[in-house]
Amino acid sequence: MVKPFRKVLVANRGEIAIRIFRACTELGLRTVAIYSEQDSTSLHRYKADEAYLVGAGKGPIEAYLDIDGIIEIAKRNDVDAIHPGYGFLAENAEFARRCEAAGITFIGPRPEQIEVFGDKVKARQLAKSCGVPIIPGTEEPIEHLQDALRFAKTHGYPVIIKAAAGGGGRGMRIVRTPAELEQAYERARSEARSAFGNPAVYLEKYLERPKHIEVQILGDAYGNLVHLYERDCSIQRRHQKLVEVAPSLSLAPELREAICDAAVRLMKAVHYVNAGTVEFLVTPDGQFYFIEVNPRIQVEHTITELVTGIDIVQAQIRIAQGYALHDPEVGVPPQEKIETRGYAIQCRVTTEDPENNFVPDTGRLLAYRSGGGFGVRLDAGNAFTGAVISPHYDSLLVKISTWGNTFEQAAAKMLRTLREFRIRGVKTNIPFLENVVSHPDFRSGQYDTSFIDTKPELFV
Ligand code: ADP
């Protein structure tokens, strides 16, 4: 049964809110923004047909986490569906349940699916039960230091301590000796407790020089589920993605197929609905291992859109409405007809100072002139001359995605676009991104997650 949608509220801010409004408008839907007091002049507010203040008197982050306030705004203004974007409430099962209870469609997976993937220990158990390889690690959260030491002794150092509820590259510690493990264990638990409200940690073997390969999935409520191939997100700084490429240049065809099959198998096992991503690490010897599922739209979805031609956000909305994946309204072809064409690269331009340890910079943008041209896609947040970059939110300013028939063309386009940007008043990481994109190892396509850490020349 297809539900009529007229109005969609986006429970988010910045570039992703604007990205979703665009998808809605193209589908003929009316858009509703929410904004915090601190965001009263932010661009996303003005990019929607209607906008309402949320979380008055609350903090800048808390406002976007104000479930009662958001649902109240949605009900008062006849909103049919809520898109959570990424971050904030996107992986909050309670929020998804509260939306449904209020008669509002949550544009995302089922609450149970959010729950199982929100707990990395449960997600690993599920992957294992589907025959998807997992990194050797503890089956349960570690309760005693002795168990951690025993695991590391059996499997060998280095190991990585991870928060079960962690995310965004946070809550991980690499440990190379028993003494380090003794020191790090309690600290990791207390950090996990304060950052994620859950002290549970577990251990994995730390893989040296893996590639980060992730598979985009779309599923509908009728059991149809496809993958849109992979993205290579190995260019990371402090375990956070910085530059992403689709498709990967360094996967043998059989390995690519095996990884995509594994992702589909895992997501089919839970009858996954809507957009999600299955993440893997791939070792130099060609073994691949599941790391986690992100049950939401991701920052880097743009490059998959560029190489497949499928609008993932529009598909999310149509799927939530109750359309089948292959319905012409959704426009997702059957798996055997989904192909990637050419190469796409995304760079995350942030307001961080590469000359000062990537400390976030804030203040007014005295000038903002973007690059552009054929094959260049920009997804910007609060980016315009005069905009105030606030210290309250993450520092993503604009995502640049380029497309080319070949990787070399996409990379040349990216470098040219980065160089075309003129941003004054606030420091950005553009000089650093230029160094990454012009580096011969990047251009060769043969790189892994150690790329940034092993190249001091990028930092000059
Ligand atoms: P988060 O949810 O915080 O993003 P992930 O589990 O997805 O954390 O891992 C983020 C990144 O950390 C990976 O892309 C990889 O670079 C690194 N990483 C995570 N687990 C391991 C591991 N066992 N061995 C080596 N690197 C790892």
Side-chain angles (χ1 to χ4, degrees):
M1 220 247 328
V2 170
K3 300 181 212 167
F5 278 4
R6 284 172 309 275
K7 239 191 218 191
V8 174
L9 180 148
V10 177
N12 214 299
R13 64 181 302 285
E15 69 87 14
I16 194 64
I18 296 171
R19 162 73 187 94
I20 299 164
F21 296 147
R22 287 180 172 142
C24 291
T25 305
E26 289 171 20
L27 292 175
L29 302 170
R30 210 173 150 77
T31 53
V32 181
I34 54 168
Y35 61 92
S36 67
E37 282 171 341
Q38 293 78 8
D39 261 342
S40 62
T41 62
S42 289
L43 195 60
H44 80 277
R45 169 182 179 182
Y46 301 104
K47 289 280 188 184
D49 297 316
E50 302 170 28
Y52 303 98
L53 176 67
V54 71
K58 293 187 194 258
I61 303 287
E62 292 72 19
Y64 292 100
L65 299 175
D66 179 4
I67 296 181
D68 289 334
I70 295 168
I71 292 193
E72 169 64 28
I73 290 169
K75 288 211 310 212
R76 208 177 333 118
N77 297 289
D78 299 320
V79 163
D80 302 295
I82 297 185
H83 195 307
Y86 54 70
F88 296 119
L89 294 169
E91 294 173 65
N92 184 316
E94 187 208 335
F95 180 58
R97 287 201 175 94
R98 291 281 306 278
C99 289
E100 301 294 332
I104 299 162
T105 303
F106 176 80
I107 302 176
R110 308 290 320 146
E112 317 80 74
Q113 296 165 348
I114 298 176
E115 260 156 11
V116 70
F117 295 128
D119 182 332
K120 291 187 178 187
V121 175
K122 279 193 197 144
R124 278 166 55 83
Q125 290 164 351
L126 177 72
K128 193 174 174 202
S129 74
C130 299
V132 174
I134 56 175
I135 301 175
T138 56
E139 299 280 315
E140 300 287 337
I142 297 258
E143 296 293 345
H144 304 285
L145 174 63
Q146 288 313 321
D147 298 331
L149 288 165
R150 193 171 317 120
F151 171 86
K153 194 166 175 200
T154 312
H155 293 272
Y157 289 86
V159 296
I160 183 166
I161 311 179
K162 287 191 180 184
R170 296 178 310 144
M172 290 186 290
R173 268 160 192 272
I174 301 156
V175 171
R176 296 189 180 271
T177 63
E180 272 178 33
L181 180 53
E182 276 180 36
Q183 279 192 351
Y185 172 73
E186 269 312 323
R187 216 177 298 151
R189 274 177 65 87
S190 66
E191 271 176 19
R193 188 185 293 108
S194 56
F196 310 109
N198 175 358
V201 298
Y202 67 102
L203 249 58
E204 267 177 12
K205 179 105 188 85
Y206 182 70
L207 306 175
E208 303 281 3
R209 312 187 75 118
K211 283 191 248 288
H212 176 117
I213 301 289
E214 59 183 37
V215 180
Q216 176 69 55
I217 296 289
L218 279 176
D220 68 17
Y222 313 101
N224 303 300
L225 189 141
V226 297
H227 69 78
L228 305 186
Y229 293 97
E230 81 285 2
R231 298 184 281 261
D232 185 324
C233 310
S234 302
I235 308 285
Q236 305 179 350
R237 195 182 149 264
R238 304 221 165 131
H239 305 302
Q240 290 187 28
K241 299 162 191 166
L242 188 66
V243 179
E244 299 98 342
V245 175
S248 168
L249 284 110
S250 60
L251 288 184
E254 315 79 62
L255 182 56
R256 182 191 204 201
E257 201 179 311
I259 293 173
C260 292
D261 283 352
V264 166
R265 201 157 67 237
L266 173 63
M267 298 299 251
K268 276 194 172 164
V270 296
H271 305 288
Y272 192 83
V273 181
N274 219 284
T277 299
V278 188
E279 299 190 335
F280 298 93
L281 295 181
V282 180
T283 50
D285 59 355
Q287 301 296 312
F288 68 91
Y289 301 96
F290 167 81
I291 44 175
E292 65 166 341
V293 170
N294 285 323
R296 55 171 166 80
I297 191 76
Q298 280 187 304
V299 177
E300 60 273 22
H301 74 278
T302 55
I303 52 174
T304 298
E305 295 184 329
L306 287 175
V307 294
T308 62
I310 294 169
D311 187 314
I312 298 171
V313 177
Q314 289 193 0
Q316 285 193 289
I317 297 167
R318 289 308 199 202
I319 290 166
Q321 250 184 299
Y323 284 102
L325 207 52
H326 309 307
D327 188 296
E329 277 297 317
V330 190
V332 176
Q335 184 72 67
E336 61 279 9
K337 294 252 171 67
I338 299 174
E339 288 175 353
T340 62
R341 196 175 145 248
Y343 285 89
I345 304 171
Q346 179 184 259
C347 280
R348 302 187 186 196
V349 176
T350 60
T351 45
E352 291 171 345
D353 182 358
E355 285 175 19
N356 183 17
N357 204 23
F358 292 86
V359 175
D361 196 13
T362 56
R364 193 175 291 277
L365 291 177
L366 301 177
Y368 179 87
R369 297 197 299 280
S370 53
F374 173 43
V376 177
R377 167 180 177 170
L378 301 178
D379 290 78
N382 209 24
F384 55 92
T385 298
V388 175
I389 305 303
S390 98
H392 302 302
Y393 300 104
D394 87 45
S395 53
L396 184 60
L397 182 68
V398 52
K399 306 190 305 200
I400 308 174
S401 312
T402 59
W403 182 88
N405 263 313
T406 63
F407 178 67
E408 194 42 50
Q409 286 171 0
K413 221 177 258 294
M414 181 59 81
L415 189 57
R416 188 271 296 158
T417 306
L418 286 164
R419 288 179 174 159
E420 218 177 313
F421 264 82
R422 292 290 178 274
I423 299 175
R424 308 262 181 260
V426 177
K427 297 261 181 30
T428 75
N429 66 346
I430 287 179
F432 186 78
L433 291 168
E434 286 177 20
N435 292 346
V436 170
V437 172
S438 47
H439 198 283
D441 288 5
F442 178 72
R443 292 299 182 101
S444 75
Q446 309 299 318
Y447 50 79
D448 56 52
T449 54
S450 71
F451 178 90
I452 288 179
D453 287 341
T454 50
K455 294 182 180 54
E457 67 269 30
L458 297 173
F459 293 82
V460 295

